[in-house]
Amino acid sequence: MSEGKFNSPISLSEREVQIIECVSNGLTNHQIARELAISKRTVDNHISNILTKTLTKNRVALVRWALQWGKVCIDEVNCCNLPELHEQEHDR
C-alpha cells in the first residue's frame, strides 16, 4: 500500500507499514497479531518502535501521521496516487 505514496522523512519496513494499516483499521494489538500470524508481544514491540520512529505518542497521533505522509488511506480518503517527490524534481 505504501507504493506511490509520499516519501516520509523516516524509513519504515514493510511489516511496520502493515502494522500501521492495521492500527488505522482500528484493530487491537491482539487482533493485529492474529491477522499477521505473529505474537502479540511482537506487535507490541513493533508499535513501540513505530511510535518512536514517527515521534508520535499514541495510536491516534500515529494514524494522523500515516495519513499526512500517505502511508494509509481510510474510507477512500487519502487514497490517490501522488507522484514521488523525486519524480516532481526530475520533471523540472
Side-chain angles (χ1 to χ4, degrees), residues 59-79:
R59 293 165 92 92
V60 172
L62 175 60
V63 171
R64 288 181 51 125
W65 179 92
L67 284 167
Q68 175 186 0
W69 287 103
K71 297 297 181 186
V72 297
C73 65
I74 299 175
D75 297 329
E76 302 303 318
V77 173
N78 203 41
C79 296

Side-chain angles (χ1 to χ4, degrees), residues 5-7 82-92:
K5 301 289 185 172
F6 291 119
N7 285 328
L82 298 173
E84 298 289 338
L85 181 59
H86 66 276
E87 290 175 3
Q88 292 173 351
E89 291 173 353
H90 177 71
D91 291 340
R92 289 183 186 172

Side-chain angles (χ1 to χ4, degrees), residues 15-16 18-20 22 28-47 50:
R15 178 63 89 189
E16 289 171 329
Q18 289 174 328
I19 298 281
I20 293 171
C22 290
T28 65
N29 287 11
H30 183 73
Q31 291 168 325
I32 295 169
R34 267 191 311 204
E35 177 78 19
L36 300 179
I38 58 179
S39 75
K40 182 188 170 292
R41 183 176 173 145
T42 299
V43 174
D44 294 342
N45 288 335
H46 277 304
I47 297 285
I50 293 166

